[in-house]
C-alpha cells in the first residue's frame, strides 16, 4: 500500500527498468523504490534531509543516491523516457509556451563552497560564486529564476536556472535549445516546436529574428513602448508584428505548470546550496507531472509496464 505522495505501482513499473542496477561489488543497494519515495517526501515537504522518516532508510543513503543519479544523468534519462513515449504516439503538443518564475532562496541555500577560492581573494568572489549557483539579489531578496518551456498540455520540456535578477529574454534561446525529444525509432531528435508562445517580456526583434530562420512561428505581443516607437518612426518603423490573440490564450498552460511544480515545497522555496541539486529536484518533479498525465493505449504499450488507468503520484 502506497503512502501519500509516494510512487504508485503503475508509475513504478514504468521507471523501474530504467534505474541503474548493482554491479555486484560491495553491499546490495537499498530498494530503489524506497529511496525514490524518500526523495519525493523531502521534495513535497521541504524538510531538511536529516529529518527524513526512518521508514525510508538512512538519510545519508537517500541523499547520496539522489546526488549520484543527478551526476550520472539518471533523473534526466527518466524524464526523457516519458517524453519519448508520449511523442511516439503523438500526444505531445508542439505549441510550446515559455516563461519564468522567481523562487525565493532560503538562507540555508547561500554559502556554497567557492571553487578555487584563496585566502584574501578579490572582492566579488562571493557574487561570482552565487551567480554560478543561480542565486541573485532581487526585490524578494536572494532568489533563483526558473525558466521553463512546456508543451501544449502544460508538461515540462526543458528547464534552465539563472540568478533571480536575470532578464527573462536573455534565457529564451537557452530554454528552446534545451528542448530535445529523441525519436522512439530511427531519426533525429525533435528540437523545434511548431509555435512558441511568450508574454511581453520576450518581445524583441532579436527573439523574432532567432525564431524566423528555424521555422518557428512566434506569438508574442508587442510592448506599448515598442508600438509607440514604431509609429513615431513612421515608414521607417517597419510593419507591425503578426499576433493571434486566440492562440495566445493557450499560453496560460505554463503558468499552471509552475503552480503544479510549486506544490512541491522544496521547489517553491529553494533550500539546496548547489544549483545542480535544485535542478535535479525540478527534473524529478517534472517527471512526476508527466507520470500523472493521462496516457493513451499506444503510449502505455511503449512504456515499461502496461497500465489501464492514468498513473503517477497521488496528490
Amino acid at each position: 500500500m502506497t503512502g501519500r505522495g509516494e510512487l504508485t505501482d503503475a508509475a513504478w513499473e514504468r521507471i523501474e527498468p530504467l534505474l541503474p542496477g548493482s554491479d555486484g561489488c560491495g553491499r546490495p543497494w537499498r530498494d530503489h523504490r524506497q529511496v525514490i519515495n524518500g526523495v519525493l517526501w523531502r521534495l513535497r515537504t521541504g524538510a531538511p534531509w536529516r529529518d527524513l522518516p526512518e521508514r525510508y532508510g538512512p538519510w545519508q543513503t537517500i541523499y547520496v543516491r539522489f546526488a549520484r543519479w543527478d551526476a550520472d544523468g539518471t533523473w534526466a534519462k527518466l524524464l526523457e523516457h516519458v517524453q519519448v513515449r508520449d511523442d511516439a504516439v503523438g500526444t505531445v503538443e508542439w505549441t510550446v509556451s515559455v516563461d519564468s518564475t522567481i523562487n525565493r532562496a532560503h538562507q540555508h541555500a547561500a554559502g556554497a563552497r567557492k571553487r578555487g577560492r584563496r585566502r584574501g581573494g578579490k572582492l566579488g568572489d562571493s557574487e561570482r560564486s552565487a551567480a554560478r549557483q543561480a542565486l541573485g539579489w532581487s526585490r524578494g531578496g536572494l532568489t533563483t529564476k526558473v525558466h521553463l518551456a512546456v508543451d501544449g498540455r502544460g508538461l515540462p520540456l526543458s528547464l534552465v536556472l539563472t540568478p533571480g535578477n536575470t532578464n527573462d529574454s536573455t534565457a529564451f534561446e537557452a530554454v528552446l535549445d534545451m528542448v530535445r525529444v529523441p525519436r522512439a525509432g530511427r531519426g533525429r531528435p525533435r528540437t523545434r516546436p511548431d509555435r512558441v508562445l511568450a508574454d511581453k517580456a520576450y518581445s524583441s526583434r532579436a527573439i523574432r529574428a532567432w525564431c524566423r530562420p528555424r521555422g518557428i512561428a512566434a506569438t508574442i505581443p508587442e510592448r506599448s513602448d515598442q508600438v509607440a516607437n514604431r509609429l513615431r518612426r513612421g515608414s521607417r518603423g517597419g510593419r507591425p508584428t503578426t499576433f493571434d490573440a486566440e492562440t495566445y490564450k493557450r499560453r496560460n498552460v505554463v503558468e499552471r505548470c509552475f503552480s503544479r511544480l510549486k506544490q512541491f515545497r522544496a521547489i517553491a522555496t529553494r533550500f539546496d546550496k548547489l544549483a545542480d541539486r535544485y535542478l535535479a529536484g525540478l527534473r524529478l518533479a517534472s517527471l512526476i507531472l508527466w507520470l500523472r498525465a493521462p496516457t493513451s493505449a499506444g503510449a502505455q504499450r511503449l512504456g515499461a509496464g502496461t497500465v489501464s488507468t492514468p498513473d503517477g503520484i497521488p496528490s
Side-chain angles (χ1 to χ4, degrees), residues 30-159:
R30 182 170 289 274
D31 181 60
H32 285 336
R33 185 172 183 177
Q34 183 184 30
V35 169
I36 295 176
N37 285 335
V39 176
L40 289 175
W41 183 90
R42 189 261 172 180
L43 272 181
R44 182 171 56 82
T45 62
W49 288 100
R50 293 175 183 268
D51 294 342
L52 276 167
E54 293 182 358
R55 65 178 181 272
Y56 298 119
W59 71 267
Q60 298 95 330
T61 301
I62 310 299
Y63 176 76
V64 169
R65 191 84 56 86
F66 172 71
R68 176 181 294 180
W69 286 356
D70 171 36
D72 65 14
T74 297
W75 300 123
K77 182 175 70 174
L78 292 174
L79 180 58
E80 181 182 273
H81 169 75
V82 295
Q83 293 173 346
V84 170
R85 184 210 59 184
D86 280 17
D87 186 53
V89 294
T91 57
V92 176
E93 299 179 14
W94 285 97
T95 296
V96 172
S97 298
V98 176
D99 205 352
S100 70
T101 186
I102 295 179
N103 293 341
R104 182 71 181 268
H106 193 270
Q107 59 185 359
H108 294 167
R113 184 174 299 174
K114 304 170 182 61
R115 298 180 181 176
R117 176 73 182 272
R118 296 181 179 179
R119 184 174 298 177
K122 296 180 181 180
L123 293 176
D125 282 351
S126 59
E127 288 80 0
R128 285 192 290 270
S129 176
R132 284 196 297 270
Q133 300 305 332
L135 291 170
W137 290 96
S138 60
R139 289 186 179 181
L142 197 62
T143 55
T144 293
K145 183 171 283 190
V146 180
H147 304 265
L148 178 66
V150 302
D151 77 336
R153 300 173 297 165
L155 296 177
L157 290 172
S158 66
L159 294 153

Side-chain angles (χ1 to χ4, degrees), residues 106-214:
H106 193 270
Q107 59 185 359
H108 294 167
R113 184 174 299 174
K114 304 170 182 61
R115 298 180 181 176
R117 176 73 182 272
R118 296 181 179 179
R119 184 174 298 177
K122 296 180 181 180
L123 293 176
D125 282 351
S126 59
E127 288 80 0
R128 285 192 290 270
S129 176
R132 284 196 297 270
Q133 300 305 332
L135 291 170
W137 290 96
S138 60
R139 289 186 179 181
L142 197 62
T143 55
T144 293
K145 183 171 283 190
V146 180
H147 304 265
L148 178 66
V150 302
D151 77 336
R153 300 173 297 165
L155 296 177
L157 290 172
S158 66
L159 294 153
V160 172
L161 297 183
T162 63
N165 53 1
T166 302
N167 188 280
D168 290 359
S169 61
T170 59
F172 178 85
E173 296 179 16
V175 174
L176 288 188
D177 283 339
M178 291 290 291
V179 175
R180 183 181 182 277
V181 179
R183 308 289 183 178
R186 304 176 65 178
R188 295 181 179 180
R190 177 74 184 261
T191 58
R192 296 180 184 178
D194 298 325
R195 179 177 295 273
V196 62
L197 312 179
D199 60 20
K200 293 182 180 181
Y202 298 90
S203 177
S204 70
R205 289 186 176 181
I207 286 178
R208 291 186 172 90
W210 185 87
C211 293
R212 196 173 299 116
R214 292 167 174 80

